[in-house]
PDB file of all heavy atoms in Angstrom:
ATOM      1  N   PHE Z  43     -17.064   8.525  22.448  1.00 89.00           N
ATOM      2  CA  PHE Z  43     -15.776   9.216  22.350  1.00 89.00           C
ATOM      3  C   PHE Z  43     -14.752   8.258  21.747  1.00 89.00           C
ATOM      4  O   PHE Z  43     -14.859   7.048  21.917  1.00 89.00           O
ATOM      5  CB  PHE Z  43     -15.290   9.670  23.735  1.00 89.00           C
ATOM      6  CG  PHE Z  43     -16.212  10.653  24.405  1.00 89.00           C
ATOM      7  CD1 PHE Z  43     -16.258  10.751  25.797  1.00 89.00           C
ATOM      8  CD2 PHE Z  43     -17.039  11.485  23.656  1.00 89.00           C
ATOM      9  CE1 PHE Z  43     -17.101  11.658  26.419  1.00 89.00           C
ATOM     10  CE2 PHE Z  43     -17.881  12.398  24.261  1.00 89.00           C
ATOM     11  CZ  PHE Z  43     -17.915  12.471  25.649  1.00 89.00           C
ATOM     12  N   CYS Z  44     -13.774   8.832  21.084  1.00 91.00           N
ATOM     13  CA  CYS Z  44     -12.753   7.987  20.448  1.00 91.00           C
ATOM     14  C   CYS Z  44     -11.778   7.469  21.514  1.00 91.00           C
ATOM     15  O   CYS Z  44     -11.142   8.257  22.214  1.00 91.00           O
ATOM     16  CB  CYS Z  44     -11.997   8.785  19.399  1.00 91.00           C
ATOM     17  SG  CYS Z  44     -10.745   7.827  18.550  1.00 91.00           S
ATOM     18  N   PRO Z  45     -11.644   6.149  21.645  1.00 92.00           N
ATOM     19  CA  PRO Z  45     -10.757   5.596  22.684  1.00 92.00           C
ATOM     20  C   PRO Z  45      -9.312   5.412  22.217  1.00 92.00           C
ATOM     21  O   PRO Z  45      -8.458   5.012  23.004  1.00 92.00           O
ATOM     22  CB  PRO Z  45     -11.387   4.225  22.958  1.00 92.00           C
ATOM     23  CG  PRO Z  45     -11.985   3.828  21.641  1.00 92.00           C
ATOM     24  CD  PRO Z  45     -12.358   5.093  20.909  1.00 92.00           C
ATOM     25  N   LEU Z  46      -9.050   5.690  20.943  1.00 91.00           N
ATOM     26  CA  LEU Z  46      -7.725   5.365  20.404  1.00 91.00           C
ATOM     27  C   LEU Z  46      -6.637   6.256  21.003  1.00 91.00           C
ATOM     28  O   LEU Z  46      -6.820   7.470  21.113  1.00 91.00           O
ATOM     29  CB  LEU Z  46      -7.719   5.526  18.877  1.00 91.00           C
ATOM     30  CG  LEU Z  46      -8.714   4.645  18.116  1.00 91.00           C
ATOM     31  CD1 LEU Z  46      -8.729   5.021  16.643  1.00 91.00           C
ATOM     32  CD2 LEU Z  46      -8.379   3.182  18.286  1.00 91.00           C
ATOM     33  N   THR Z  48      -4.070   7.227  19.639  1.00 86.00           N
ATOM     34  CA  THR Z  48      -3.556   8.136  18.610  1.00 86.00           C
ATOM     35  C   THR Z  48      -4.562   9.227  18.246  1.00 86.00           C
ATOM     36  O   THR Z  48      -4.292  10.051  17.374  1.00 86.00           O
ATOM     37  CB  THR Z  48      -3.234   7.349  17.321  1.00 86.00           C
ATOM     38  OG1 THR Z  48      -4.338   6.491  17.020  1.00 86.00           O
ATOM     39  CG2 THR Z  48      -1.981   6.540  17.466  1.00 86.00           C
ATOM     40  N   HIS Z  49      -5.739   9.220  18.914  1.00 86.00           N
ATOM     41  CA  HIS Z  49      -6.761  10.212  18.569  1.00 86.00           C
ATOM     42  C   HIS Z  49      -6.233  11.616  18.825  1.00 86.00           C
ATOM     43  O   HIS Z  49      -5.747  11.929  19.894  1.00 86.00           O
ATOM     44  CB  HIS Z  49      -8.017   9.967  19.414  1.00 86.00           C
ATOM     45  CG  HIS Z  49      -9.118  10.957  19.129  1.00 86.00           C
ATOM     46  ND1 HIS Z  49      -9.957  10.816  18.058  1.00 86.00           N
ATOM     47  CD2 HIS Z  49      -9.496  12.084  19.758  1.00 86.00           C
ATOM     48  CE1 HIS Z  49     -10.819  11.831  18.048  1.00 86.00           C
ATOM     49  NE2 HIS Z  49     -10.561  12.613  19.066  1.00 86.00           N
ATOM     50  N   ASN Z  50      -6.334  12.470  17.810  1.00 83.00           N
ATOM     51  CA  ASN Z  50      -5.823  13.833  17.985  1.00 83.00           C
ATOM     52  C   ASN Z  50      -6.881  14.886  17.661  1.00 83.00           C
ATOM     53  O   ASN Z  50      -6.586  16.053  17.543  1.00 83.00           O
ATOM     54  CB  ASN Z  50      -4.567  14.056  17.134  1.00 83.00           C
ATOM     55  CG  ASN Z  50      -4.834  13.752  15.668  1.00 83.00           C
ATOM     56  OD1 ASN Z  50      -5.984  13.525  15.270  1.00 83.00           O
ATOM     57  ND2 ASN Z  50      -3.803  13.724  14.852  1.00 83.00           N
ATOM     58  N   GLY Z  51      -8.117  14.456  17.497  1.00 71.00           N
ATOM     59  CA  GLY Z  51      -9.195  15.413  17.257  1.00 71.00           C
ATOM     60  C   GLY Z  51      -9.781  15.874  18.581  1.00 71.00           C
ATOM     61  O   GLY Z  51      -9.166  15.721  19.637  1.00 71.00           O
ATOM     62  N   LYS Z  52     -10.975  16.445  18.524  1.00 73.00           N
ATOM     63  CA  LYS Z  52     -11.655  16.886  19.750  1.00 73.00           C
ATOM     64  C   LYS Z  52     -11.901  15.696  20.662  1.00 73.00           C
ATOM     65  O   LYS Z  52     -12.267  14.621  20.213  1.00 73.00           O
ATOM     66  CB  LYS Z  52     -13.014  17.504  19.386  1.00 73.00           C
ATOM     67  CG  LYS Z  52     -12.932  18.955  18.999  1.00 73.00           C
ATOM     68  CD  LYS Z  52     -14.358  19.539  19.012  1.00 73.00           C
ATOM     69  CE  LYS Z  52     -14.516  20.567  17.930  1.00 73.00           C
ATOM     70  NZ  LYS Z  52     -15.861  20.693  17.437  1.00 73.00           N
ATOM     71  N   SER Z  57     -17.136  11.206  18.229  1.00 88.00           N
ATOM     72  CA  SER Z  57     -16.684  11.098  16.838  1.00 88.00           C
ATOM     73  C   SER Z  57     -16.442   9.651  16.417  1.00 88.00           C
ATOM     74  O   SER Z  57     -16.221   9.370  15.253  1.00 88.00           O
ATOM     75  CB  SER Z  57     -15.389  11.891  16.667  1.00 88.00           C
ATOM     76  OG  SER Z  57     -14.405  11.419  17.564  1.00 88.00           O
ATOM     77  N   PHE Z  58     -16.489   8.742  17.382  1.00 91.00           N
ATOM     78  CA  PHE Z  58     -16.125   7.353  17.102  1.00 91.00           C
ATOM     79  C   PHE Z  58     -17.372   6.496  16.927  1.00 91.00           C
ATOM     80  O   PHE Z  58     -18.314   6.589  17.724  1.00 91.00           O
ATOM     81  CB  PHE Z  58     -15.289   6.825  18.280  1.00 91.00           C
ATOM     82  CG  PHE Z  58     -14.841   5.398  18.127  1.00 91.00           C
ATOM     83  CD1 PHE Z  58     -13.656   5.088  17.472  1.00 91.00           C
ATOM     84  CD2 PHE Z  58     -15.593   4.363  18.651  1.00 91.00           C
ATOM     85  CE1 PHE Z  58     -13.230   3.780  17.344  1.00 91.00           C
ATOM     86  CE2 PHE Z  58     -15.172   3.043  18.529  1.00 91.00           C
ATOM     87  CZ  PHE Z  58     -13.979   2.752  17.882  1.00 91.00           C
ATOM     88  N   GLN Z  68     -14.806   3.589  12.766  1.00 92.00           N
ATOM     89  CA  GLN Z  68     -14.339   4.804  12.104  1.00 92.00           C
ATOM     90  C   GLN Z  68     -14.401   5.956  13.098  1.00 92.00           C
ATOM     91  O   GLN Z  68     -15.297   6.024  13.922  1.00 92.00           O
ATOM     92  CB  GLN Z  68     -15.241   5.109  10.916  1.00 92.00           C
ATOM     93  CG  GLN Z  68     -14.862   6.387  10.200  1.00 92.00           C
ATOM     94  CD  GLN Z  68     -15.401   6.412   8.775  1.00 92.00           C
ATOM     95  OE1 GLN Z  68     -16.436   5.812   8.506  1.00 92.00           O
ATOM     96  NE2 GLN Z  68     -14.719   7.096   7.891  1.00 92.00           N
ATOM     97  N   CYS Z  69     -13.432   6.857  13.025  1.00 90.00           N
ATOM     98  CA  CYS Z  69     -13.487   8.058  13.854  1.00 90.00           C
ATOM     99  C   CYS Z  69     -13.418   9.277  12.941  1.00 90.00           C
ATOM    100  O   CYS Z  69     -12.482   9.425  12.163  1.00 90.00           O
ATOM    101  CB  CYS Z  69     -12.325   8.094  14.850  1.00 90.00           C
ATOM    102  SG  CYS Z  69     -12.239   9.680  15.716  1.00 90.00           S
ATOM    103  N   PHE Z  70     -14.448  10.129  13.024  1.00 86.00           N
ATOM    104  CA  PHE Z  70     -14.484  11.316  12.175  1.00 86.00           C
ATOM    105  C   PHE Z  70     -13.543  12.406  12.693  1.00 86.00           C
ATOM    106  O   PHE Z  70     -13.271  13.375  12.013  1.00 86.00           O
ATOM    107  CB  PHE Z  70     -15.910  11.865  12.071  1.00 86.00           C
ATOM    108  CG  PHE Z  70     -16.818  10.953  11.302  1.00 86.00           C
ATOM    109  CD1 PHE Z  70     -17.774  10.187  11.946  1.00 86.00           C
ATOM    110  CD2 PHE Z  70     -16.687  10.844   9.936  1.00 86.00           C
ATOM    111  CE1 PHE Z  70     -18.591   9.325  11.229  1.00 86.00           C
ATOM    112  CE2 PHE Z  70     -17.497   9.993   9.205  1.00 86.00           C
ATOM    113  CZ  PHE Z  70     -18.455   9.230   9.855  1.00 86.00           C
ATOM    114  N   GLY Z  71     -13.072  12.227  13.939  1.00 86.00           N
ATOM    115  CA  GLY Z  71     -12.171  13.225  14.512  1.00 86.00           C
ATOM    116  C   GLY Z  71     -10.744  13.026  14.029  1.00 86.00           C
ATOM    117  O   GLY Z  71     -10.122  13.930  13.491  1.00 86.00           O
ATOM    118  N   CYS Z  72     -10.219  11.806  14.213  1.00 87.00           N
ATOM    119  CA  CYS Z  72      -8.821  11.574  13.851  1.00 87.00           C
ATOM    120  C   CYS Z  72      -8.683  10.852  12.522  1.00 87.00           C
ATOM    121  O   CYS Z  72      -7.564  10.708  12.016  1.00 87.00           O
ATOM    122  CB  CYS Z  72      -8.098  10.789  14.950  1.00 87.00           C
ATOM    123  SG  CYS Z  72      -8.758   9.141  15.255  1.00 87.00           S
ATOM    124  N   GLY Z  73      -9.811  10.411  11.963  1.00 86.00           N
ATOM    125  CA  GLY Z  73      -9.760   9.800  10.633  1.00 86.00           C
ATOM    126  C   GLY Z  73      -9.398   8.324  10.637  1.00 86.00           C
ATOM    127  O   GLY Z  73      -9.350   7.693   9.589  1.00 86.00           O
ATOM    128  N   ALA Z  74      -9.133   7.758  11.834  1.00 90.00           N
ATOM    129  CA  ALA Z  74      -8.777   6.333  11.887  1.00 90.00           C
ATOM    130  C   ALA Z  74      -9.994   5.491  11.537  1.00 90.00           C
ATOM    131  O   ALA Z  74     -11.120   5.841  11.878  1.00 90.00           O
ATOM    132  CB  ALA Z  74      -8.281   5.974  13.287  1.00 90.00           C
TER     133      ALA Z  74
HETATM  134 ZN1   ZN C 407     -10.307   9.330  16.909  1.00 87.06          ZN
END
Side-chain angles (χ1 to χ4, degrees):
F43 298 153
C44 181
L46 300 173
T48 47
H49 179 81
N50 56 8
K52 276 194 215 152
S57 57
F58 180 88
Q68 178 159 29
C69 172
F70 291 106
C72 62

